[in-house]
Amino acid sequence: MNSKKLIRNLMATALSLAVLAGCGNKDTSTTSTSNEGSMVEGSGSQTSKNSDIVTKLDGETKIVFWHAMGGGQGEALEKLVKEFEEKNPNIKIDLQNQGNYGDLSQKLTATMQSPDDLPTITQAYGDWMVPFLEEDFVVDLKPYIENKEIGFDNYDDILEGLREETTKDGMITSLPFNKSTEVLWYNKTLFDELGLEVPKTFEELKEVSQKIYEKKKIPGVGFDALSNFYASYLKDKGLDMDSKLDVSGKESKEAINYYLDGIKDGYFRIAGTDQYMSGPFANEQVAAYIGSNAGEVYIKDGVGDKFDYEAAPYPAGQSVQQGTNIYMFNNASDEQKTAAYEFLKFLTSKDAQIEFGLATGYMPIRKSAIEDEKYTNSDSKIAKVLSEATKNLFSRKVEPGSQQAYNDTSSFLESVLSNKDTDVDKELETFKQTYESAYQQ
């Protein structure tokens, strides 16, 4: 391995510790992280005639799964692992919680220096895995998915916007796991009182927000994740938030002024010290907000019986998908890879996705699961709109430095939108160097 390249990759990965809004957890507990015992007991496993892929396991196979699911999310994952092991008694899942997302990212980064100590599979954001892919540490799942002997249940049933993120240079790098998108959460009682239609575009969102401010003297709308707003606004204009973006360009200025004008006039707000908009929304300090569908549990608890609320698709042509995928590492034995693949098939199956979605608030990754009556007939506000809300998902471009640029943009927007007297043109010219340097590290 090229030592300079490895050092660069380790530094790049270390920067990628940000948690996307609505997808974090506060569990910092850590269990044993040893790979000891991840061996295949027995022999005689069968391989495919056309490849080295093991198609039948003979004897017990143990795999190690690193994750960052805590609380109810962790309990839901443990339940699925138990169900899988009951159906597959020859496969044992060593489920190892690494703390929060930052802890998991740091553990992965540190273990790059001794790749044989990597787990069989891991939960991870795409940005984290750029150096692992460059070093060829990640298993291409495409041969497994296309293998007729072990197969995969309708890969195309996975939402297209999720499949796009996990496909690179003809390789299927991973399978989607805990996923979410952004939706419009709104105070239905207030909207009905004022006779307001749910907005479907950024312009309509602005108009509705202005009417709410005029009538109720509270901001109409806020955005949970500022970088998501910026990326989504640019996407609506046909631009990607990537290394080629000119942050001092016309569309970028338009995006920031769109939000800043609303703050100046009182009809928009940012979360600020509240951190997330669900709090101000529940306390009727804002009439609606753009946030993760996975935040439903916080809204339900906060709102209580104060008013009726609903969810609606993101008011633009496309909405960003966010959350982690599950990656498999090349250090695993052939038997472990097949065992892990069988687990991934189960975890991404329709029934498992419905169960995990209802238990955690994350969106099922399959169209069939989203449209299934067991899901749509639940008491979730999201379940009724998710089919429409996931029709046009987009992924942020994953490239070296992309997560740092995303973090820098969030901090920049927080600063700009906190000052009504900001000179946007001047601030963007200064920020341009910071943004571009993130991709050059």
Side-chain angles (χ1 to χ4, degrees):
M1 183 188 304
N2 185 297
S3 59
K4 291 184 178 180
K5 184 177 181 182
L6 176 57
I7 292 172
R8 173 175 61 81
N9 284 339
L10 289 170
M11 293 177 64
T13 309
L15 293 171
S16 184
L17 303 179
V19 180
L20 297 180
C23 293
N25 68 70
K26 298 180 181 180
D27 183 1
T28 58
S29 62
T30 305
T31 59
S32 170
T33 56
S34 171
N35 273 347
E36 184 179 354
S38 299
M39 303 296 291
V40 179
E41 299 176 3
S43 60
S45 299
Q46 297 180 9
T47 59
S48 173
K49 295 179 180 178
N50 300 318
S51 69
D52 293 329
I53 294 176
V54 172
T55 56
K56 184 179 179 181
L57 297 172
D58 183 17
E60 182 178 294
T61 306
K62 181 187 288 186
I63 65 172
V64 175
F65 180 14
W66 286 2
H67 71 98
M69 297 275 92
Q73 298 169 358
E75 292 172 3
L77 178 58
E78 290 171 2
K79 187 172 183 291
L80 286 175
V81 166
K82 183 177 179 180
E83 291 176 15
F84 173 79
E85 289 182 335
E86 288 175 351
K87 295 178 180 179
N88 301 269
N90 62 327
I91 300 175
K92 301 300 178 184
I93 312 297
D94 186 0
L95 194 60
Q96 298 183 0
N97 179 280
Q98 300 300 322
N100 59 31
Y101 286 121
D103 297 331
L104 174 57
S105 177
Q106 289 179 332
K107 184 64 179 292
L108 287 166
T109 300
T111 313
M112 274 194 77
Q113 300 175 75
S114 52
D116 286 344
D117 294 328
L118 287 167
T120 319
I121 54 177
T122 190
Q123 175 189 15
Y125 284 102
D127 309 85
W128 300 356
M129 302 308 291
V130 171
F132 292 88
L133 287 164
E134 288 182 347
E135 298 295 345
D136 196 29
F137 288 170
V138 176
V139 175
D140 181 4
L141 297 179
K142 188 174 182 179
Y144 289 83
I145 290 171
E146 295 181 345
N147 188 288
K148 294 181 179 179
E149 296 177 64
I150 55 178
F152 193 88
D153 181 20
N154 192 5
Y155 178 70
D156 290 341
D157 184 39
I158 295 176
L159 295 167
E160 183 179 2
L162 305 184
R163 284 186 278 120
E164 287 178 356
E165 185 194 28
T166 58
T167 303
K168 180 180 175 60
D169 300 328
M171 172 184 179
I172 297 177
T173 63
S174 55
L175 286 172
F177 180 39
N178 59 313
K179 289 294 185 176
S180 63
T181 188
E182 290 189 317
V183 296
L184 175 70
W185 294 101
Y186 67 98
N187 183 327
K188 186 177 185 300
T189 300
L190 187 149
F191 269 58
D192 289 347
E193 177 189 337
L194 300 181
L196 299 173
E197 296 290 332
V198 177
K200 296 182 179 180
T201 66
F202 278 112
E203 186 58 34
E204 290 178 2
L205 186 69
K206 175 182 175 180
E207 293 171 359
V208 165
S209 297
Q210 290 173 327
K211 290 178 182 178
I212 292 170
Y213 183 71
E214 290 170 5
K215 298 291 184 179
K216 294 294 183 178
K217 301 306 177 185
I218 62 171
V221 174
F223 292 78
D224 237 353
L226 299 181
S227 287
N228 280 358
F229 154 74
Y230 183 69
S232 299
Y233 193 97
L234 291 176
K235 194 70 175 180
D236 210 46
K237 298 294 181 180
L239 296 178
D240 289 317
M241 184 181 170
D242 59 11
S243 59
K244 298 178 182 179
L245 175 68
D246 179 5
V247 296
S248 64
K250 174 186 174 183
E251 293 82 0
S252 178
K253 292 177 182 178
E254 182 180 320
I256 296 174
N257 281 315
Y258 171 86
Y259 207 151
L260 184 59
D261 287 346
I263 289 177
K264 289 178 179 178
D265 293 340
Y267 58 85
F268 282 160
R269 67 158 287 176
I270 59 174
T273 55
D274 290 304
Q275 294 187 312
Y276 295 102
M277 289 299 304
S278 55
F281 176 69
N283 293 325
E284 300 179 80
Q285 297 170 337
V286 64
Y289 80 97
I290 303 288
S292 170
N293 68 268
E296 181 170 9
V297 62
Y298 303 105
I299 296 172
K300 185 176 182 179
D301 290 345
V303 171
D305 298 327
K306 297 176 189 175
F307 55 85
D308 292 331
Y309 67 91
E310 293 289 347
Y314 196 99
Q318 299 181 67
S319 59
V320 66
Q321 69 85 15
Q322 51 195 19
T324 71
N325 308 307
I326 299 181
Y327 297 79
M328 188 190 304
F329 290 114
N330 269 318
N331 65 301
S333 68
D334 291 340
E335 287 82 3
Q336 286 174 318
K337 291 174 184 177
T338 294
Y341 175 68
E342 291 295 336
F343 176 62
L344 292 183
K345 283 198 301 181
F346 169 81
L347 205 57
T348 57
S349 67
K350 174 184 171 181
D351 290 343
Q353 281 298 300
I354 292 174
E355 180 180 339
F356 190 68
L358 292 177
T360 64
Y362 286 111
M363 68 184 196
I365 66 169
R366 287 182 175 270
K367 295 189 291 286
S368 61
I370 290 172
E371 296 168 358
D372 191 275
E373 289 185 356
K374 184 176 180 181
Y375 184 69
T376 58
N377 291 341
S378 69
D379 62 358
S380 167
K381 303 285 188 181
I382 285 297
K384 299 171 180 59
V385 302
L386 199 53
S387 180
E388 183 69 24
T390 55
K391 280 186 176 179
N392 296 298
L393 298 174
F394 76 91
S395 302
R396 291 189 294 111
K397 189 173 182 180
V398 175
E399 53 186 330
S402 59
Q403 185 63 57
Q404 184 61 45
Y406 207 71
N407 296 348
D408 290 342
T409 300
S410 181
S411 298
F412 170 74
L413 291 172
E414 182 80 27
S415 174
V416 168
L417 297 175
S418 297
N419 181 4
K420 295 181 180 180
D421 297 324
T422 295
D423 184 332
V424 173
D425 290 2
K426 182 179 179 180
E427 292 296 329
L428 278 174
E429 285 297 335
T430 301
F431 177 63
K432 184 175 182 178
Q433 182 177 354
T434 301
Y435 182 87
E436 291 177 352
S437 67
Y439 290 99
Q440 297 168 0
Q441 295 182 27

